[in-house]
Short mmCIF file of all heavy atoms in Angstrom, two decimals:
data_model
loop_
_atom_site.label_atom_id
_atom_site.label_comp_id
_atom_site.label_asym_id
_atom_site.label_seq_id
_atom_site.Cartn_x
_atom_site.Cartn_y
_atom_site.Cartn_z
N ASN X 347 -282.05 83.82 -55.50
CA ASN X 347 -283.14 83.60 -54.54
C ASN X 347 -284.44 83.22 -55.25
O ASN X 347 -285.50 83.30 -54.68
CB ASN X 347 -283.32 84.79 -53.59
CG ASN X 347 -283.49 86.11 -54.33
OD1 ASN X 347 -283.63 86.13 -55.53
ND2 ASN X 347 -283.49 87.20 -53.57
N ASN X 348 -284.33 82.76 -56.46
CA ASN X 348 -285.49 82.49 -57.27
C ASN X 348 -285.06 81.66 -58.47
O ASN X 348 -284.46 82.18 -59.39
CB ASN X 348 -286.00 83.85 -57.80
CG ASN X 348 -287.42 84.07 -57.45
OD1 ASN X 348 -288.28 83.31 -57.87
ND2 ASN X 348 -287.67 85.12 -56.68
N ALA X 352 -285.98 75.12 -58.08
CA ALA X 352 -286.03 75.14 -56.61
C ALA X 352 -287.07 76.12 -56.08
O ALA X 352 -287.33 76.14 -54.88
CB ALA X 352 -284.66 75.49 -56.05
N GLY X 353 -287.69 76.92 -56.97
CA GLY X 353 -288.58 77.95 -56.47
C GLY X 353 -287.78 78.88 -55.58
O GLY X 353 -286.69 79.28 -55.91
N ASN X 354 -288.33 79.19 -54.42
CA ASN X 354 -287.60 80.06 -53.51
C ASN X 354 -286.61 79.28 -52.64
O ASN X 354 -285.88 79.88 -51.87
CB ASN X 354 -288.57 80.82 -52.60
CG ASN X 354 -289.17 82.02 -53.31
OD1 ASN X 354 -288.89 82.27 -54.47
ND2 ASN X 354 -290.00 82.75 -52.60
N ASN X 355 -286.62 77.97 -52.74
CA ASN X 355 -285.74 77.17 -51.88
C ASN X 355 -284.36 77.02 -52.47
O ASN X 355 -283.89 75.91 -52.74
CB ASN X 355 -286.38 75.81 -51.60
CG ASN X 355 -287.43 75.91 -50.51
OD1 ASN X 355 -287.18 76.51 -49.47
ND2 ASN X 355 -288.60 75.37 -50.76
N GLU X 359 -281.73 79.88 -48.78
CA GLU X 359 -282.70 79.43 -47.77
C GLU X 359 -282.16 78.31 -46.89
O GLU X 359 -282.76 77.95 -45.89
CB GLU X 359 -283.99 78.96 -48.45
CG GLU X 359 -284.75 80.06 -49.15
CD GLU X 359 -285.25 81.12 -48.17
OE1 GLU X 359 -285.88 80.77 -47.17
OE2 GLU X 359 -284.98 82.31 -48.43
C1 NAG H 714 -290.75 83.90 -53.16
O1 NAG H 714 -290.40 84.94 -52.25
C2 NAG H 714 -290.96 86.18 -52.57
C3 NAG H 714 -290.39 87.24 -51.65
O2 NAG H 714 -290.02 86.71 -50.41
C4 NAG H 714 -292.50 86.06 -52.46
O3 NAG H 714 -293.07 87.30 -52.77
C5 NAG H 714 -292.96 84.99 -53.43
O4 NAG H 714 -294.35 84.79 -53.27
C6 NAG H 714 -292.24 83.68 -53.18
N1 NAG H 714 -292.60 82.73 -54.21
C7 NAG H 714 -292.92 81.47 -53.97
C8 NAG H 714 -293.22 80.62 -55.17
O5 NAG H 714 -293.00 81.03 -52.84
#
Side-chain angles (χ1 to χ4, degrees):
N347 53 9
N348 235 298
N354 280 1
N355 280 312
E359 294 296 309

